[in-house]
Amino acid sequence: MATALASTLLRGVLRRLTVVPRGVAAHAGRVPTASSDFSLVFRQPVALMSTEAGTTTLKQKAKSVRITFVDRDGDEHTVQGKVGDTLLEVAKEYDIDLEGACEGTLSCSTCHLIVDQEWYDKIPEPLTEEEQDMLDLAFGLTDTSRLGCQILVSDALEGIRLRVPSGIRDAREQ
């Protein structure tokens, strides 16, 4: 359990970082090879803050988008999802009844969501073979089913509407 939690936390940090060539103009015509040729940058906006001791720290600006979850009873819950979080993380933050038994490690199907048809093709993350394998075991599978742990909140998802299926089937119990 501790290993899964550590893995989930590390993935959360890594999702927010991007490796970019240091001094892009200096790399024209050659492939960067040394670790000093790269920088890690946050994908989300970052602000600098000064502390009383005069040191500088980074504070991430939490940009968010509107997301509507329709729960098992048909009630709508419109929430603000932080850009860079997964839909599973957003659901957990707002107590939406979405289990996520494997904690986002793509080894169950309990974070199965049904995406409204108009939004399905707008999701930036493509459906992978591994996700499809898990979805094949999900309860109430539809043509617009996705796993909440595999979709990152982005500006492109502003206003997305998702339905939580009426039941769950844990792929790990098959």
Side-chain angles (χ1 to χ4, degrees):
M1 184 68 151
T3 303
L5 179 59
S7 173
T8 300
L9 291 173
L10 181 58
R11 280 194 355 225
V13 170
L14 293 177
R15 264 198 322 266
R16 290 172 176 81
L17 293 173
T18 301
V19 177
V20 296
R22 190 183 307 267
V24 175
H27 292 289
R30 76 175 182 91
V31 176
T33 56
S35 62
S36 62
D37 288 343
F38 297 96
S39 295
L40 289 176
V41 296
F42 281 98
R43 290 181 189 163
Q44 296 176 329
V46 175
L48 294 178
M49 287 181 45
S50 295
T51 63
E52 291 179 19
T55 59
T56 303
T57 59
L58 295 178
K59 178 182 179 187
Q60 190 171 342
K61 293 181 183 178
K63 185 173 182 182
S64 63
V65 298
R66 184 175 39 90
I67 299 170
T68 300
F69 291 94
V70 180
D71 67 20
R72 289 180 171 89
D73 298 324
D75 297 325
E76 291 191 9
H77 305 272
T78 301
V79 301
Q80 291 295 315
K82 288 181 247 158
V83 171
D85 283 354
T86 65
L87 290 176
L88 174 61
E89 292 168 330
V90 174
K92 292 288 189 191
E93 180 178 350
Y94 288 97
D95 296 322
I96 306 296
D97 188 19
L98 193 63
E99 186 174 339
C102 73
E103 299 178 5
T105 60
L106 192 56
S107 59
C108 77
S109 58
T110 61
C111 64
H112 171 213
L113 291 166
I114 300 169
V115 181
D116 274 11
Q117 182 64 52
E118 67 182 89
W119 284 99
Y120 187 78
D121 292 327
K122 297 177 184 178
I123 296 173
E125 291 80 24
L127 181 65
T128 64
E129 187 175 329
E130 294 84 2
E131 182 180 359
Q132 184 61 59
D133 288 345
M134 285 294 112
L135 281 169
D136 286 342
L137 304 170
F139 178 87
L141 185 64
T142 71
D143 290 340
T144 61
S145 290
R146 291 293 305 267
L147 295 179
C149 68
Q150 297 302 299
I151 302 172
L152 292 176
V153 175
S154 68
D155 291 335
L157 300 184
E158 172 64 44
I160 193 169
R161 191 169 182 277
L162 309 149
R163 186 166 47 91
V164 178
S166 59
I168 62 170
R169 181 181 307 140
D170 190 343
R172 297 173 305 162
E173 297 173 2
Q174 299 300 317

